[in-house]
Amino acid sequence: GAGVSQTPSNKVTEKGKYVELRCDPISGHTALYWYRQSLGQGPEFLIYFQGTGAADDSGLPNDRFFAVRPEGSVSTLKIQRTERGDSAVYLCASSSTLQGNNEQFFGPGTRLTVL
Amino acid sequence: DAKTTQPNSMESNEEEPVHLPCNHSTISGTDYIHWYRQLPSQGPEYVIHGLTSNVNNRMASLAIAEDRKSSTLILHRATLRDAAVYYCILRVGNYGQNFVFGPGTRLSVLP
C-alpha cells in the first residue's frame, strides 16, 4: 500500500517568504507527527496530531510555525517569514494508535532551503 | 525525556555481524526501547523495539540488559544496504507520543 507522502520534495524560497509543506499520511492513521532534521542531526520533534487536533505542539520553535490537519488526514506545516535558519529537511510520520510500542512510518521529507 | 547515548560511528565488513550499543541509564520501567534507521536521503524506518525481553525479527535482534540500562541492536549479517544512521530511542509508556532522536550511530559497511 501507499506510504506517507510529502510534497514538494524540494522547496527553495527567499528569506521572508511564506511556505506550506504538505503531508499525506497512511490511510486510516490517526496520529501524525512533524519533525525537522538539520544536517548531521537526528530528527527534532515539532508537533503531533491525534485526529484533527494538535495534541502536542511543544516542539514548534516559535510562532512563525503553524500546522493544521482540518479533516484528520492530510496535514500542512506552514512557516511564515522564513529565515535562513529554517533550512532543513521536514519529515512527516504517521502511526495507527497512540500506543508507545506502535511503529511510526516516515515520509521521505521535504528539503527546505531558505536563501 | 529519557536520554540515550550511542557511538557516533561504527564500521563493519560485509556479511559479518554488527553489534550497535546504546546506553540508557535513566530508563524508567515503562519506557520502550525503539530502534530506527535512516538510509541516505530517506526518512527513518522502524527496525525493532522491546521492553524487557530480547526480541528478534526479520531485520535484526535486540538484546536488552537485565537492568535495562543498555541495549544492543544486532545485525546478524551486514550488507551494503545496511549502511545507515541507527537511532536508539526511548518511548515513554504505552501512550508515548513523540520520539526524541539523538544523533545516532552512522554505520559504514565495507565490501
Side-chain angles (χ1 to χ4, degrees), chain A residues 70-102:
Chain A
E71 298 178 357
S73 178
V74 171
S75 177
T76 305
L77 179 66
K78 308 180 181 194
I79 310 174
Q80 298 178 323
R81 304 183 303 280
T82 52
E83 300 177 356
R84 292 194 180 88
D86 298 335
S87 296
V89 175
Y90 289 81
L91 294 163
C92 175
S94 69
S95 66
S96 63
T97 72
L98 280 176
Q99 289 185 345
N101 60 351
N102 213 57

Side-chain angles (χ1 to χ4, degrees), chain A residues 27-105:
Chain A
S27 177
H29 279 191
T30 56
L32 184 146
Y33 311 79
W34 283 99
Y35 294 83
R36 177 171 70 173
Q37 186 170 28
S38 301
L39 193 63
Q41 304 295 317
E44 172 194 16
F45 169 77
L46 295 177
I47 187 170
Y48 147 71
F49 287 89
Q50 177 58 26
T52 60
D56 183 354
D57 64 358
S58 62
L60 294 177
N62 52 59
D63 61 6
R64 294 187 298 105
F65 289 75
F66 189 70
V68 296
R69 195 186 184 199
E71 298 178 357
S73 178
V74 171
S75 177
T76 305
L77 179 66
K78 308 180 181 194
I79 310 174
Q80 298 178 323
R81 304 183 303 280
T82 52
E83 300 177 356
R84 292 194 180 88
D86 298 335
S87 296
V89 175
Y90 289 81
L91 294 163
C92 175
S94 69
S95 66
S96 63
T97 72
L98 280 176
Q99 289 185 345
N101 60 351
N102 213 57
E103 179 179 350
Q104 286 191 13
F105 294 83

Side-chain angles (χ1 to χ4, degrees), chain A residues 33 37 45 99-100 102 104, chain B residues 34 36 38 91 94 97-98:
Chain A
Y33 311 79
Q37 186 170 28
F45 169 77
Q99 289 185 345
N102 213 57
Q104 286 191 13
Chain B
H34 290 252
Y36 277 67
Q38 188 171 22
R91 193 166 192 185
N94 280 331
Q97 297 159 359
N98 65 77

Side-chain angles (χ1 to χ4, degrees), chain B residues 4 6 19 26 36 39 42 49 56 60 63 65-67 76-77 102 107:
Chain B
T4 63
Q6 301 175 251
H19 289 229
T26 59
Y36 277 67
L39 280 68
Q42 295 187 25
H49 77 275
N56 300 293
E66 196 168 335
D67 63 5
H76 295 286
R77 288 184 66 200
L107 176 66

